[in-house]
Amino acid sequence: MRMSCKETTRLVSQGLDRELAFGERVALRVHYAYCLGCRRAGRQMKFLRQAIQQLPERG
Amino acid sequence: MAVAEDFRKQLEDLRPYLLRYASLQLRDAAAAEDAVQEALLAALAGQSSFAGRANLRTWLTGILKHKIVDTIRRQAREPVVEAAADEEPGEFDELFGERGHWNERPAAWGDPDGALEQSQFFRALEMCLERLPARTAQAFMMREHLGFETGEICKELSITPTHCWVLLYRARMTLRECLQQTWFGNALSR
């Protein structure tokens, strides 16, 4: 069964906080293959992490 | 003595910045004030360990970061009445349609690395962080800025892992949306 974008973004976010199970990683990859929106959202969440880490030096 | 006075003055000059930094993470003006005060006192006492380092602000931020972590751990020992904060039904409904697909696909962020070179970008980011609900912001900063593991965030905030993931998801989605509106989607700000 295909995951929705809402479920996918939730899983992408959790992937930044815990190790995803094998099945979850596969589901994510399948969804990414056809969904540009979720790929972008995933990239942007990772970028957020990078930006927040630099916050004190630059802010 | 003049040297010590000068050092004290340099520390004082950084106080507004330090307060802003602590407030972002503690979401409590009095607690932020206390943490900054403690950091400044520690810095005064440890002046000799600063000697020769290039950047006072970076050094001081490092000290304050530890004080913030201490404060969070101290706070956690006080009992908290936890409001139910599982994912709210209908959350992000404007973002996702009935079947859970994007109503409007996220736009590409042109040159995000370039944004990291601009201090106005970090101002925009701080403003977005300030708009988050206190607990959401706190969990997010603990995770992404202070580098806590999720398990420890749960413990310190007395919440379940699921709740923790919900808070972090909510923070990321809201910040993403906020930056899209205030920075990346706004050509004038670049």
Side-chain angles (χ1 to χ4, degrees):
Chain A
M1 209 197 75
R2 287 184 163 191
M3 280 194 301
S4 69
C5 298
K6 190 173 184 174
E7 289 163 330
T8 302
T9 49
R10 200 183 294 140
L11 203 57
V12 171
S13 175
Q14 289 190 17
L16 294 168
D17 303 318
R18 66 176 173 88
E19 179 126 27
L20 297 182
F22 178 72
E24 291 174 323
R25 291 203 301 274
V26 171
L28 201 58
R29 205 163 301 171
V30 169
H31 186 97
Y32 265 7
Y34 63 85
C35 183
L36 176 61
C38 285
R39 284 204 298 278
R40 282 180 181 161
R43 219 178 295 139
Q44 291 166 3
M45 286 192 228
K46 276 190 195 140
F47 167 76
L48 267 176
R49 165 167 288 181
Q50 205 188 337
I52 296 289
Q53 279 165 1
Q54 294 185 23
L55 188 63
E57 265 60 62
R58 310 300 193 105
Chain B
M1 231 47 256
V3 176
E5 268 316 304
D6 190 43
F7 186 67
R8 190 187 292 267
K9 168 86 171 59
Q10 285 179 44
L11 292 182
E12 270 313 314
D13 288 347
L14 285 167
R15 188 189 281 269
Y17 151 74
L18 294 170
L19 270 174
R20 224 175 60 230
Y21 176 73
S23 303
L24 269 181
Q25 300 176 72
L26 293 170
R27 290 310 189 98
D28 173 337
E33 194 89 43
D34 289 347
V36 168
Q37 194 57 34
E38 280 176 39
L40 288 174
L41 288 173
L44 273 177
Q47 184 179 356
S48 56
S49 70
F50 172 67
R53 284 183 212 225
N55 193 326
L56 182 63
R57 183 163 142 146
T58 306
W59 178 69
L60 208 47
T61 305
I63 296 175
L64 180 55
K65 215 165 168 177
H66 283 111
K67 300 293 175 195
I68 290 170
V69 171
D70 288 348
T71 306
I72 291 171
R73 296 205 165 120
R74 241 183 350 243
Q75 282 174 342
R77 278 183 229 119
E78 293 156 17
V80 190
V81 182
E82 181 59 46
D86 289 324
E87 190 166 328
E88 286 151 31
E91 190 166 20
F92 300 123
D93 265 1
E94 323 87 81
L95 278 185
F96 300 107
E98 270 173 43
R99 292 173 58 232
H101 295 292
W102 296 104
N103 277 330
E104 194 184 334
R105 179 200 284 163
W109 285 358
D111 194 23
D113 290 339
L116 296 179
E117 301 299 320
Q118 289 176 260
S119 57
Q120 300 103 295
F121 168 75
F122 286 94
R123 220 20 75 74
L125 179 58
E126 273 181 32
M127 277 168 58
C128 287
L129 282 166
E130 279 162 13
R131 284 195 219 162
L132 290 178
R135 193 138 258 237
T136 306
Q138 210 178 7
F140 182 73
M141 290 303 274
M142 283 170 81
R143 177 74 190 121
E144 302 290 54
H145 187 69
L146 299 171
F148 280 77
E149 287 302 326
T150 322
E152 205 183 352
I153 300 176
C154 303
K155 209 181 93 205
E156 303 298 351
L157 297 181
S158 316
I159 55 181
T160 63
T162 311
H163 181 174
C164 197
W165 289 323
V166 170
L167 287 184
L168 292 169
Y169 173 61
R170 190 178 291 160
R172 290 182 179 118
M173 292 296 279
T174 310
L175 287 173
R176 204 197 61 75
E177 197 60 21
C178 181
L179 281 179
Q180 171 64 36
Q181 280 166 18
T182 61
W183 185 266
F184 289 103
N186 181 356
L188 289 176
S189 65
R190 274 181 279 157

